Amino acid sequence: MIIVGNVYLSDDIAEQYFVCELSACKGACCVEGDAGAPLEEAECETIAQLLPTVRPYLSQEALEVIEAQGTHTIDQEGDLSTPILPTGECVYAFRDEKGQLKCAFEQAYYEGKSDFKKPVSCHLYPIRITRYDEFDAVNYHRWEICKPACAHGSALRVPLYRFLKEPLIRKYGKRWYDELCRIIELQFGASHTEDSGQKTSQS
């Protein structure tokens, strides 16, 4: 286990190699699962405000679900999440010309229409955070659909926490991330902290 402040991380964060391979998975993490993407309370207001901005990317079916359920919903566990279509897709996902699912918020971000990239839980995937009263538990979500990403990351020698550098800093701050790197170097050796020179954050 890796402990940085009040955040407890599984060793997988340092040991697992991972780089998303969208051409292989087609964005399956936007559709697989029992609920939408977990949301933080502050993100719900942001998403509601940005609906007019992302509306052009969304399907008519998605807009109808949003009209019926709202821009966010409560999942079966009582947590805030994005609504989903009857087929399982997040309402904020859309398919590009290659048939790959993409996030409407991220598309608007890259087009300079917004400074909100996407919900932080999506940005952090494939790690999931469980909040407790006194600490956060950060674990790698091992899933069949991400096997190509594991193979890609292994080929590039990019450990998971390096791939997720940007969202981890977004969540916990630069100082926290630097401390994470220092601790991983002490516990796992310097090879786990060397940048590969390859892309190490999500697109």
Side-chain angles (χ1 to χ4, degrees), residues 25-63:
C25 72
K26 306 296 184 183
C29 58
C30 294
V31 60
E32 300 290 343
D34 300 324
L39 296 173
E40 298 186 350
E41 190 170 346
E43 292 178 326
C44 295
E45 182 177 352
T46 299
I47 286 172
Q49 292 173 346
L50 285 175
L51 181 59
T53 302
V54 301
R55 180 182 291 271
Y57 307 109
L58 306 182
S59 67
Q60 183 59 39
E61 185 180 16
L63 292 172

Side-chain angles (χ1 to χ4, degrees), residues 110-179:
Y110 283 128
E111 292 179 5
K113 299 175 182 177
S114 164
D115 60 2
F116 177 73
K117 192 167 188 178
K118 54 185 168 181
V120 71
S121 68
C122 302
H123 206 178
L124 283 165
Y125 196 77
I127 66 173
R128 289 297 192 205
I129 299 175
T130 303
R131 297 185 183 88
Y132 296 94
D133 290 340
E134 297 182 354
F135 65 93
D136 286 356
V138 178
N139 292 289
Y140 166 53
H141 184 201
R142 197 175 297 276
W143 210 1
E144 185 75 18
I145 64 172
C146 289
K147 277 190 173 181
C150 295
H152 192 200
S154 181
L156 297 176
R157 308 300 290 175
V158 177
L160 183 57
Y161 78 99
R162 284 292 184 187
F163 174 65
L164 296 177
K165 177 179 179 179
E166 180 186 335
L168 283 170
I169 290 175
R170 174 185 172 189
K171 177 66 177 177
Y172 293 115
K174 179 65 162 56
R175 182 178 297 179
W176 180 92
Y177 183 79
D178 289 344
E179 179 65 6

Side-chain angles (χ1 to χ4, degrees), residues 27-99:
C29 58
C30 294
V31 60
E32 300 290 343
D34 300 324
L39 296 173
E40 298 186 350
E41 190 170 346
E43 292 178 326
C44 295
E45 182 177 352
T46 299
I47 286 172
Q49 292 173 346
L50 285 175
L51 181 59
T53 302
V54 301
R55 180 182 291 271
Y57 307 109
L58 306 182
S59 67
Q60 183 59 39
E61 185 180 16
L63 292 172
E64 290 172 359
V65 170
I66 293 169
E67 179 67 25
Q69 298 184 18
T71 52
H72 67 275
T73 188
I74 306 294
D75 66 21
Q76 295 179 347
E77 297 181 358
D79 297 321
L80 296 166
S81 66
T82 60
I84 58 174
L85 300 179
T87 48
E89 292 101 326
C90 173
V91 295
Y92 300 113
F94 69 96
R95 292 192 183 276
D96 66 10
E97 64 280 359
K98 298 179 181 178

